[in-house]
PDB file of all heavy atoms in Angstrom:
ATOM      1  N   LEU A   1      -3.993   1.330   5.512  1.00 97.00           N
ATOM      2  CA  LEU A   1      -3.281   0.813   6.710  1.00 97.00           C
ATOM      3  C   LEU A   1      -4.215  -0.032   7.555  1.00 97.00           C
ATOM      4  O   LEU A   1      -3.771  -0.995   8.175  1.00 97.00           O
ATOM      5  CB  LEU A   1      -2.730   1.996   7.515  1.00 97.00           C
ATOM      6  CG  LEU A   1      -1.700   2.884   6.832  1.00 97.00           C
ATOM      7  CD1 LEU A   1      -1.295   4.049   7.721  1.00 97.00           C
ATOM      8  CD2 LEU A   1      -0.479   2.036   6.443  1.00 97.00           C
ATOM      9  N   LEU A   2      -5.488   0.305   7.572  1.00 97.00           N
ATOM     10  CA  LEU A   2      -6.470  -0.526   8.284  1.00 97.00           C
ATOM     11  C   LEU A   2      -6.759  -1.789   7.519  1.00 97.00           C
ATOM     12  O   LEU A   2      -6.728  -2.887   8.085  1.00 97.00           O
ATOM     13  CB  LEU A   2      -7.784   0.309   8.495  1.00 97.00           C
ATOM     14  CG  LEU A   2      -8.946  -0.487   9.087  1.00 97.00           C
ATOM     15  CD1 LEU A   2      -8.625  -1.000  10.465  1.00 97.00           C
ATOM     16  CD2 LEU A   2     -10.200   0.406   9.131  1.00 97.00           C
ATOM     17  N   PHE A   3      -7.001  -1.641   6.188  1.00 97.00           N
ATOM     18  CA  PHE A   3      -7.386  -2.844   5.433  1.00 97.00           C
ATOM     19  C   PHE A   3      -6.290  -3.871   5.371  1.00 97.00           C
ATOM     20  O   PHE A   3      -6.569  -5.103   5.273  1.00 97.00           O
ATOM     21  CB  PHE A   3      -7.808  -2.426   4.026  1.00 97.00           C
ATOM     22  CG  PHE A   3      -8.442  -3.530   3.219  1.00 97.00           C
ATOM     23  CD1 PHE A   3      -9.762  -3.858   3.402  1.00 97.00           C
ATOM     24  CD2 PHE A   3      -7.681  -4.310   2.353  1.00 97.00           C
ATOM     25  CE1 PHE A   3     -10.357  -4.917   2.706  1.00 97.00           C
ATOM     26  CE2 PHE A   3      -8.270  -5.372   1.654  1.00 97.00           C
ATOM     27  CZ  PHE A   3      -9.575  -5.662   1.819  1.00 97.00           C
ATOM     28  N   ARG A   4      -5.037  -3.480   5.370  1.00 96.00           N
ATOM     29  CA  ARG A   4      -3.955  -4.455   5.292  1.00 96.00           C
ATOM     30  C   ARG A   4      -3.976  -5.425   6.475  1.00 96.00           C
ATOM     31  O   ARG A   4      -3.455  -6.558   6.360  1.00 96.00           O
ATOM     32  CB  ARG A   4      -2.594  -3.746   5.198  1.00 96.00           C
ATOM     33  CG  ARG A   4      -2.150  -3.046   6.483  1.00 96.00           C
ATOM     34  CD  ARG A   4      -0.982  -2.075   6.199  1.00 96.00           C
ATOM     35  NE  ARG A   4       0.169  -2.745   5.646  1.00 96.00           N
ATOM     36  CZ  ARG A   4       1.214  -3.163   6.391  1.00 96.00           C
ATOM     37  NH1 ARG A   4       1.212  -2.966   7.690  1.00 96.00           N
ATOM     38  NH2 ARG A   4       2.257  -3.752   5.820  1.00 96.00           N
ATOM     39  N   LEU A   5      -4.588  -5.033   7.592  1.00 96.00           N
ATOM     40  CA  LEU A   5      -4.708  -5.957   8.727  1.00 96.00           C
ATOM     41  C   LEU A   5      -5.641  -7.107   8.429  1.00 96.00           C
ATOM     42  O   LEU A   5      -5.711  -8.083   9.173  1.00 96.00           O
ATOM     43  CB  LEU A   5      -5.212  -5.184   9.959  1.00 96.00           C
ATOM     44  CG  LEU A   5      -4.320  -4.015  10.428  1.00 96.00           C
ATOM     45  CD1 LEU A   5      -4.874  -3.372  11.636  1.00 96.00           C
ATOM     46  CD2 LEU A   5      -2.885  -4.525  10.686  1.00 96.00           C
ATOM     47  N   CYS A   6      -6.382  -7.057   7.315  1.00 96.00           N
ATOM     48  CA  CYS A   6      -7.209  -8.176   6.871  1.00 96.00           C
ATOM     49  C   CYS A   6      -6.350  -9.279   6.294  1.00 96.00           C
ATOM     50  O   CYS A   6      -6.845 -10.351   6.007  1.00 96.00           O
ATOM     51  CB  CYS A   6      -8.245  -7.723   5.878  1.00 96.00           C
ATOM     52  SG  CYS A   6      -9.466  -6.565   6.548  1.00 96.00           S
ATOM     53  N   GLY A   7      -5.066  -9.024   6.032  1.00 92.00           N
ATOM     54  CA  GLY A   7      -4.157 -10.070   5.598  1.00 92.00           C
ATOM     55  C   GLY A   7      -3.390  -9.784   4.327  1.00 92.00           C
ATOM     56  O   GLY A   7      -2.579 -10.629   3.907  1.00 92.00           O
ATOM     57  N   ASP A   8      -3.551  -8.578   3.729  1.00 90.00           N
ATOM     58  CA  ASP A   8      -2.782  -8.232   2.512  1.00 90.00           C
ATOM     59  C   ASP A   8      -1.749  -7.216   2.900  1.00 90.00           C
ATOM     60  O   ASP A   8      -1.975  -6.019   2.964  1.00 90.00           O
ATOM     61  CB  ASP A   8      -3.749  -7.686   1.448  1.00 90.00           C
ATOM     62  CG  ASP A   8      -3.052  -7.486   0.108  1.00 90.00           C
ATOM     63  OD1 ASP A   8      -1.809  -7.393   0.067  1.00 90.00           O
ATOM     64  OD2 ASP A   8      -3.747  -7.420  -0.904  1.00 90.00           O
ATOM     65  N   PHE A   9      -0.470  -7.700   3.088  1.00 91.00           N
ATOM     66  CA  PHE A   9       0.578  -6.843   3.584  1.00 91.00           C
ATOM     67  C   PHE A   9       1.531  -6.384   2.453  1.00 91.00           C
ATOM     68  O   PHE A   9       2.683  -6.042   2.692  1.00 91.00           O
ATOM     69  CB  PHE A   9       1.363  -7.538   4.665  1.00 91.00           C
ATOM     70  CG  PHE A   9       0.592  -7.756   5.918  1.00 91.00           C
ATOM     71  CD1 PHE A   9      -0.055  -8.985   6.154  1.00 91.00           C
ATOM     72  CD2 PHE A   9       0.402  -6.765   6.849  1.00 91.00           C
ATOM     73  CE1 PHE A   9      -0.810  -9.166   7.329  1.00 91.00           C
ATOM     74  CE2 PHE A   9      -0.320  -6.919   7.970  1.00 91.00           C
ATOM     75  CZ  PHE A   9      -0.916  -8.147   8.244  1.00 91.00           C
ATOM     76  N   ASN A  10       1.056  -6.398   1.216  1.00 89.00           N
ATOM     77  CA  ASN A  10       1.875  -5.877   0.118  1.00 89.00           C
ATOM     78  C   ASN A  10       2.300  -4.461   0.442  1.00 89.00           C
ATOM     79  O   ASN A  10       1.467  -3.593   0.687  1.00 89.00           O
ATOM     80  CB  ASN A  10       1.046  -5.915  -1.187  1.00 89.00           C
ATOM     81  CG  ASN A  10       1.893  -5.585  -2.407  1.00 89.00           C
ATOM     82  OD1 ASN A  10       2.856  -4.847  -2.352  1.00 89.00           O
ATOM     83  ND2 ASN A  10       1.468  -6.142  -3.540  1.00 89.00           N
ATOM     84  N   PRO A  11       3.625  -4.149   0.448  1.00 92.00           N
ATOM     85  CA  PRO A  11       4.067  -2.821   0.819  1.00 92.00           C
ATOM     86  C   PRO A  11       3.610  -1.737  -0.090  1.00 92.00           C
ATOM     87  O   PRO A  11       3.679  -0.553   0.264  1.00 92.00           O
ATOM     88  CB  PRO A  11       5.614  -2.935   0.825  1.00 92.00           C
ATOM     89  CG  PRO A  11       5.893  -4.132  -0.051  1.00 92.00           C
ATOM     90  CD  PRO A  11       4.741  -5.068   0.164  1.00 92.00           C
ATOM     91  N   LEU A  12       3.115  -2.071  -1.267  1.00 92.00           N
ATOM     92  CA  LEU A  12       2.561  -1.109  -2.219  1.00 92.00           C
ATOM     93  C   LEU A  12       1.461  -0.266  -1.603  1.00 92.00           C
ATOM     94  O   LEU A  12       1.210   0.863  -1.991  1.00 92.00           O
ATOM     95  CB  LEU A  12       2.020  -1.869  -3.422  1.00 92.00           C
ATOM     96  CG  LEU A  12       1.441  -1.078  -4.582  1.00 92.00           C
ATOM     97  CD1 LEU A  12       2.532  -0.275  -5.264  1.00 92.00           C
ATOM     98  CD2 LEU A  12       0.794  -2.023  -5.603  1.00 92.00           C
ATOM     99  N   HIS A  13       0.818  -0.820  -0.566  1.00 95.00           N
ATOM    100  CA  HIS A  13      -0.312  -0.156   0.098  1.00 95.00           C
ATOM    101  C   HIS A  13       0.017   0.566   1.412  1.00 95.00           C
ATOM    102  O   HIS A  13      -0.861   1.129   2.014  1.00 95.00           O
ATOM    103  CB  HIS A  13      -1.431  -1.194   0.325  1.00 95.00           C
ATOM    104  CG  HIS A  13      -1.801  -1.993  -0.850  1.00 95.00           C
ATOM    105  ND1 HIS A  13      -2.427  -1.390  -1.944  1.00 95.00           N
ATOM    106  CD2 HIS A  13      -1.648  -3.287  -1.163  1.00 95.00           C
ATOM    107  CE1 HIS A  13      -2.639  -2.327  -2.863  1.00 95.00           C
ATOM    108  NE2 HIS A  13      -2.165  -3.494  -2.414  1.00 95.00           N
ATOM    109  N   ALA A  14       1.309   0.503   1.766  1.00 96.00           N
ATOM    110  CA  ALA A  14       1.665   1.098   3.029  1.00 96.00           C
ATOM    111  C   ALA A  14       2.994   1.893   3.020  1.00 96.00           C
ATOM    112  O   ALA A  14       3.185   2.820   3.782  1.00 96.00           O
ATOM    113  CB  ALA A  14       1.768   0.036   4.120  1.00 96.00           C
ATOM    114  N   ASP A  15       3.913   1.481   2.159  1.00 96.00           N
ATOM    115  CA  ASP A  15       5.267   2.027   2.122  1.00 96.00           C
ATOM    116  C   ASP A  15       5.420   3.023   0.969  1.00 96.00           C
ATOM    117  O   ASP A  15       5.353   2.604  -0.187  1.00 96.00           O
ATOM    118  CB  ASP A  15       6.268   0.878   1.976  1.00 96.00           C
ATOM    119  CG  ASP A  15       7.708   1.378   2.012  1.00 96.00           C
ATOM    120  OD1 ASP A  15       7.923   2.586   2.076  1.00 96.00           O
ATOM    121  OD2 ASP A  15       8.623   0.509   1.919  1.00 96.00           O
ATOM    122  N   PRO A  16       5.556   4.306   1.267  1.00 96.00           N
ATOM    123  CA  PRO A  16       5.687   5.291   0.157  1.00 96.00           C
ATOM    124  C   PRO A  16       6.816   4.953  -0.828  1.00 96.00           C
ATOM    125  O   PRO A  16       6.663   5.156  -2.048  1.00 96.00           O
ATOM    126  CB  PRO A  16       5.934   6.593   0.875  1.00 96.00           C
ATOM    127  CG  PRO A  16       5.296   6.418   2.219  1.00 96.00           C
ATOM    128  CD  PRO A  16       5.545   4.968   2.541  1.00 96.00           C
ATOM    129  N   ALA A  17       7.939   4.447  -0.315  1.00 96.00           N
ATOM    130  CA  ALA A  17       9.035   4.105  -1.189  1.00 96.00           C
ATOM    131  C   ALA A  17       8.693   2.984  -2.143  1.00 96.00           C
ATOM    132  O   ALA A  17       9.043   2.972  -3.322  1.00 96.00           O
ATOM    133  CB  ALA A  17      10.283   3.734  -0.357  1.00 96.00           C
ATOM    134  N   ALA A  18       7.984   1.953  -1.618  1.00 92.00           N
ATOM    135  CA  ALA A  18       7.558   0.855  -2.481  1.00 92.00           C
ATOM    136  C   ALA A  18       6.562   1.327  -3.516  1.00 92.00           C
ATOM    137  O   ALA A  18       6.579   0.863  -4.663  1.00 92.00           O
ATOM    138  CB  ALA A  18       6.942  -0.293  -1.632  1.00 92.00           C
ATOM    139  N   ALA A  19       5.663   2.207  -3.129  1.00 93.00           N
ATOM    140  CA  ALA A  19       4.663   2.743  -4.087  1.00 93.00           C
ATOM    141  C   ALA A  19       5.369   3.569  -5.142  1.00 93.00           C
ATOM    142  O   ALA A  19       5.058   3.436  -6.364  1.00 93.00           O
ATOM    143  CB  ALA A  19       3.646   3.615  -3.336  1.00 93.00           C
ATOM    144  N   ASN A  20       6.335   4.406  -4.779  1.00 93.00           N
ATOM    145  CA  ASN A  20       7.081   5.150  -5.740  1.00 93.00           C
ATOM    146  C   ASN A  20       7.847   4.290  -6.729  1.00 93.00           C
ATOM    147  O   ASN A  20       7.853   4.529  -7.948  1.00 93.00           O
ATOM    148  CB  ASN A  20       8.096   6.114  -5.058  1.00 93.00           C
ATOM    149  CG  ASN A  20       7.445   7.217  -4.298  1.00 93.00           C
ATOM    150  OD1 ASN A  20       8.048   7.832  -3.413  1.00 93.00           O
ATOM    151  ND2 ASN A  20       6.139   7.511  -4.571  1.00 93.00           N
ATOM    152  N   ALA A  21       8.414   3.195  -6.215  1.00 89.00           N
ATOM    153  CA  ALA A  21       9.221   2.286  -7.071  1.00 89.00           C
ATOM    154  C   ALA A  21       8.299   1.576  -8.085  1.00 89.00           C
ATOM    155  O   ALA A  21       8.752   1.217  -9.152  1.00 89.00           O
ATOM    156  CB  ALA A  21       9.919   1.232  -6.194  1.00 89.00           C
ATOM    157  N   ALA A  22       7.026   1.438  -7.692  1.00 85.00           N
ATOM    158  CA  ALA A  22       6.028   0.809  -8.621  1.00 85.00           C
ATOM    159  C   ALA A  22       5.391   1.824  -9.561  1.00 85.00           C
ATOM    160  O   ALA A  22       4.523   1.428 -10.362  1.00 85.00           O
ATOM    161  CB  ALA A  22       4.963   0.071  -7.781  1.00 85.00           C
ATOM    162  N   GLY A  23       5.743   3.103  -9.419  1.00 89.00           N
ATOM    163  CA  GLY A  23       5.237   4.086 -10.346  1.00 89.00           C
ATOM    164  C   GLY A  23       4.067   4.908  -9.809  1.00 89.00           C
ATOM    165  O   GLY A  23       3.421   5.610 -10.565  1.00 89.00           O
ATOM    166  N   PHE A  24       3.798   4.811  -8.492  1.00 92.00           N
ATOM    167  CA  PHE A  24       2.685   5.569  -7.918  1.00 92.00           C
ATOM    168  C   PHE A  24       3.231   6.669  -7.037  1.00 92.00           C
ATOM    169  O   PHE A  24       4.236   6.527  -6.356  1.00 92.00           O
ATOM    170  CB  PHE A  24       1.781   4.625  -7.104  1.00 92.00           C
ATOM    171  CG  PHE A  24       1.134   3.516  -7.888  1.00 92.00           C
ATOM    172  CD1 PHE A  24       1.634   2.211  -7.812  1.00 92.00           C
ATOM    173  CD2 PHE A  24       0.103   3.780  -8.778  1.00 92.00           C
ATOM    174  CE1 PHE A  24       1.073   1.191  -8.572  1.00 92.00           C
ATOM    175  CE2 PHE A  24      -0.457   2.778  -9.526  1.00 92.00           C
ATOM    176  CZ  PHE A  24       0.024   1.470  -9.433  1.00 92.00           C
ATOM    177  N   GLU A  25       2.487   7.765  -6.981  1.00 94.00           N
ATOM    178  CA  GLU A  25       2.967   8.932  -6.182  1.00 94.00           C
ATOM    179  C   GLU A  25       2.896   8.683  -4.693  1.00 94.00           C
ATOM    180  O   GLU A  25       3.621   9.308  -3.931  1.00 94.00           O
ATOM    181  CB  GLU A  25       2.130  10.162  -6.560  1.00 94.00           C
ATOM    182  CG  GLU A  25       0.641  10.049  -6.196  1.00 94.00           C
ATOM    183  CD  GLU A  25      -0.190  11.226  -6.664  1.00 94.00           C
ATOM    184  OE1 GLU A  25      -0.263  11.471  -7.879  1.00 94.00           O
ATOM    185  OE2 GLU A  25      -0.686  11.935  -5.790  1.00 94.00           O
ATOM    186  N   ARG A  26       2.022   7.761  -4.291  1.00 96.00           N
ATOM    187  CA  ARG A  26       1.861   7.387  -2.879  1.00 96.00           C
ATOM    188  C   ARG A  26       1.171   6.040  -2.776  1.00 96.00           C
ATOM    189  O   ARG A  26       0.684   5.526  -3.779  1.00 96.00           O
ATOM    190  CB  ARG A  26       1.110   8.472  -2.093  1.00 96.00           C
ATOM    191  CG  ARG A  26      -0.261   8.849  -2.694  1.00 96.00           C
ATOM    192  CD  ARG A  26      -0.764  10.127  -2.043  1.00 96.00           C
ATOM    193  NE  ARG A  26      -1.909  10.669  -2.713  1.00 96.00           N
ATOM    194  CZ  ARG A  26      -3.177  10.502  -2.304  1.00 96.00           C
ATOM    195  NH1 ARG A  26      -3.415   9.773  -1.241  1.00 96.00           N
ATOM    196  NH2 ARG A  26      -4.182  11.086  -2.956  1.00 96.00           N
ATOM    197  N   PRO A  27       1.182   5.424  -1.611  1.00 96.00           N
ATOM    198  CA  PRO A  27       0.521   4.120  -1.493  1.00 96.00           C
ATOM    199  C   PRO A  27      -0.932   4.147  -1.974  1.00 96.00           C
ATOM    200  O   PRO A  27      -1.672   5.112  -1.753  1.00 96.00           O
ATOM    201  CB  PRO A  27       0.606   3.820  -0.012  1.00 96.00           C
ATOM    202  CG  PRO A  27       1.824   4.538   0.440  1.00 96.00           C
ATOM    203  CD  PRO A  27       1.824   5.835  -0.334  1.00 96.00           C
ATOM    204  N   ILE A  28      -1.336   3.086  -2.655  1.00 96.00           N
ATOM    205  CA  ILE A  28      -2.713   2.980  -3.211  1.00 96.00           C
ATOM    206  C   ILE A  28      -3.555   2.036  -2.328  1.00 96.00           C
ATOM    207  O   ILE A  28      -3.023   1.242  -1.562  1.00 96.00           O
ATOM    208  CB  ILE A  28      -2.663   2.504  -4.673  1.00 96.00           C
ATOM    209  CG1 ILE A  28      -2.073   1.058  -4.764  1.00 96.00           C
ATOM    210  CG2 ILE A  28      -1.872   3.493  -5.532  1.00 96.00           C
ATOM    211  CD1 ILE A  28      -2.128   0.455  -6.191  1.00 96.00           C
ATOM    212  N   LEU A  29      -4.841   2.121  -2.519  1.00 97.00           N
ATOM    213  CA  LEU A  29      -5.763   1.300  -1.791  1.00 97.00           C
ATOM    214  C   LEU A  29      -5.800  -0.079  -2.466  1.00 97.00           C
ATOM    215  O   LEU A  29      -5.638  -0.231  -3.674  1.00 97.00           O
ATOM    216  CB  LEU A  29      -7.162   1.907  -1.826  1.00 97.00           C
ATOM    217  CG  LEU A  29      -8.212   1.378  -0.836  1.00 97.00           C
ATOM    218  CD1 LEU A  29      -7.725   1.599   0.625  1.00 97.00           C
ATOM    219  CD2 LEU A  29      -9.552   2.045  -1.039  1.00 97.00           C
ATOM    220  N   HIS A  30      -5.957  -1.133  -1.632  1.00 95.00           N
ATOM    221  CA  HIS A  30      -6.082  -2.465  -2.135  1.00 95.00           C
ATOM    222  C   HIS A  30      -7.271  -2.628  -3.104  1.00 95.00           C
ATOM    223  O   HIS A  30      -8.336  -2.093  -2.812  1.00 95.00           O
ATOM    224  CB  HIS A  30      -6.268  -3.477  -1.000  1.00 95.00           C
ATOM    225  CG  HIS A  30      -5.234  -3.389   0.103  1.00 95.00           C
ATOM    226  ND1 HIS A  30      -5.160  -2.318   0.957  1.00 95.00           N
ATOM    227  CD2 HIS A  30      -4.267  -4.270   0.499  1.00 95.00           C
ATOM    228  CE1 HIS A  30      -4.176  -2.509   1.818  1.00 95.00           C
ATOM    229  NE2 HIS A  30      -3.630  -3.696   1.560  1.00 95.00           N
TER     230      HIS A  30
END
């Protein structure tokens, strides 16, 4: 959540639903 402020707002790293849809149990680190 801190690192995304550097400019990478891919929801995979912040939104649990987006992470689950991509096959991850929770948001992953960039």
Side-chain angles (χ1 to χ4, degrees):
L1 297 176
L2 173 62
F3 189 83
R4 70 195 300 264
L5 300 181
C6 295
D8 187 339
F9 293 98
N10 188 331
L12 183 65
H13 306 294
D15 181 358
N20 291 161
F24 299 104
E25 62 184 64
R26 53 194 170 98
I28 62 174
L29 197 61
H30 306 69

